Amino acid sequence: MDLSILGIPMDLGAGRRGVDMGPSALRNAHLARTLRGLGHTVTDLGDVEVPLPETVDKHAGSGLVFLETILAACRSAAEQVAALPEDTFPVTLGGDHSVSMGTVTGNALRGGSPRRTGLIWVDAHTDYNTPQSSPSGNIHGMPVAHLTGRGDPQLAGLGGGWHLRPEDIVMIGIRSVDAKERELLREAGVKAYTMKDVDQLGITRITAETLERLAGTERLHVSFDADALDPSVAPGVGTPVPGGLTYREGHLLMELLAESGRVTSLDIVEVNPVLDTRNQTAEVMVGMAASLLGQRIL
Ligand SMILES: [Mn+2]
């Protein structure tokens, strides 16, 4: 397969600094070499240009912190991804999870006209806040709501009128949801497998149900937030939550999705080298990407 790597070194949507170094950490953990080793042709497109927070007006745009800068970075990511050939598999590297507003949009629009796209959101958090519901105001807690057209009109308008259908979203690994966010999720009908579901049903059944639920979609995007994994496996994240996916649960999910042959793009986000131990989290996430892209034990 032809793979294209694109970094979005942005930490403006998060409460803590450092995930802007995520793309470097993942490259340092030999992402490209690992994927080439699986037989893929890999092109590294470099990074989307993101200004340093010290150089921009934090409150430009509206009440949301760094809105204008985040909007510009997401728009640029969306344009670059949308311009890639249809048979290319984009691997996009965050950055905080707000970058997915750009990457998911770009992937849905790739090839000229919008395609029905399924989103598999692997995360400790549902990231379904709107500016009104969010307790923190951090945009990285809001990307999925905006992808479905809710929230700030500019962020929700990134796809030029294209939006994800809530029924085409499946979340896995969930264990931290804000009170108002919970109501929004229910209202929208987004399917979320919590860690309780992972414990009870197991990853095999959850993956099968997910693929069945998203059977009508033409493209399938996996957005993997490193904090979905247990902090003992992935300590280098800004918002760690105990009780996450084990190392093997993460790999099994990726291996089963790979076997389906249906996934068309991937994000790896929220890797924070400042909080990490010897780049462990980036290395683990490169392993997850490898499993999604065909690495097998036998
Ligand atoms: Mn997230």
Side-chain angles (χ1 to χ4, degrees):
M1 213 166 3
D2 282 337
L3 311 181
S4 284
I5 295 173
L6 178 67
I8 307 110
M10 178 171 82
D11 66 354
L12 306 175
R16 297 169 86 169
R17 302 287 309 274
V19 288
D20 58 319
M21 289 175 263
S24 297
L26 291 159
R27 287 184 177 106
N28 262 296
H30 307 297
L31 176 65
R33 193 173 78 192
T34 303
L35 299 178
R36 276 188 199 109
L38 298 170
H40 300 296
T41 305
V42 181
T43 310
D44 195 327
L45 303 171
D47 287 340
V48 167
E49 209 176 306
V50 182
L52 294 173
E54 289 82 359
T55 65
V56 295
D57 176 6
K58 204 173 168 176
H59 298 290
S62 75
L64 284 173
V65 174
F66 289 121
L67 172 69
E68 218 159 70
T69 315
I70 291 172
L71 193 60
C74 285
R75 190 172 288 138
S76 171
E79 281 167 7
Q80 289 194 51
V81 170
L84 293 170
E86 282 206 66
D87 56 356
T88 293
F89 186 113
V91 179
T92 34
L93 315 176
D96 68 67
H97 221 157
S98 57
V99 304
S100 298
M101 290 184 286
T103 60
V104 177
T105 299
N107 278 305
L109 301 181
R110 204 146 45 88
S113 56
R115 304 298 158 86
R116 188 167 170 192
T117 300
L119 174 63
I120 302 179
W121 195 262
V122 187
D123 200 328
H125 313 87
T126 46
D127 294 351
Y128 207 77
N129 271 300
T130 62
Q132 291 73 37
S133 75
S134 169
S136 70
N138 293 329
I139 294 180
H140 77 152
M142 312 179 189
V144 189
H146 284 101
L147 282 165
T148 62
R150 289 152 175 82
D152 175 85
Q154 283 182 283
L155 291 172
L158 273 165
W162 169 84
H163 293 124
L164 264 182
R165 305 183 194 192
E167 66 267 30
D168 289 343
I169 304 169
V170 177
M171 299 178 167
I172 300 172
I174 301 303
R175 55 200 186 275
S176 174
V177 189
D178 298 318
K180 284 188 193 146
E181 192 182 20
R182 185 174 290 123
E183 287 170 30
L184 292 175
L185 276 168
R186 264 203 212 118
E187 247 169 55
V190 171
K191 178 69 187 172
Y193 290 100
T194 64
M195 283 311 299
K196 174 175 176 258
D197 297 321
V198 173
D199 292 342
Q200 270 190 318
L201 307 174
I203 288 293
T204 305
R205 176 158 157 206
I206 286 174
T207 312
E209 286 182 9
T210 297
L211 290 166
E212 173 69 35
R213 190 178 175 90
L214 302 178
T217 60
E218 203 177 333
R219 292 205 179 130
L220 214 47
H221 178 91
V222 174
S223 194
F224 200 145
D225 187 323
D227 70 28
L229 297 169
D230 192 78
S232 60
V233 180
V237 298
T239 39
V241 190
L245 297 174
T246 64
Y247 180 82
R248 269 310 306 165
E249 282 169 340
H251 273 286
L252 180 59
L253 175 58
M254 295 301 111
E255 287 160 344
L256 294 173
L257 289 173
E259 277 176 17
S260 79
R262 292 198 38 220
V263 178
T264 49
S265 47
L266 167 70
D267 297 326
I268 306 174
V269 302
E270 298 281 355
V271 172
N272 191 328
V274 173
L275 304 171
D276 206 5
T277 309
R278 299 178 71 94
N279 216 24
Q280 176 186 340
T281 304
E283 284 173 11
V284 166
M285 292 308 288
V286 167
M288 296 293 155
S291 280
L292 184 70
L293 285 156
Q295 177 131 296
R296 291 155 159 257
I297 296 174
L298 279 177

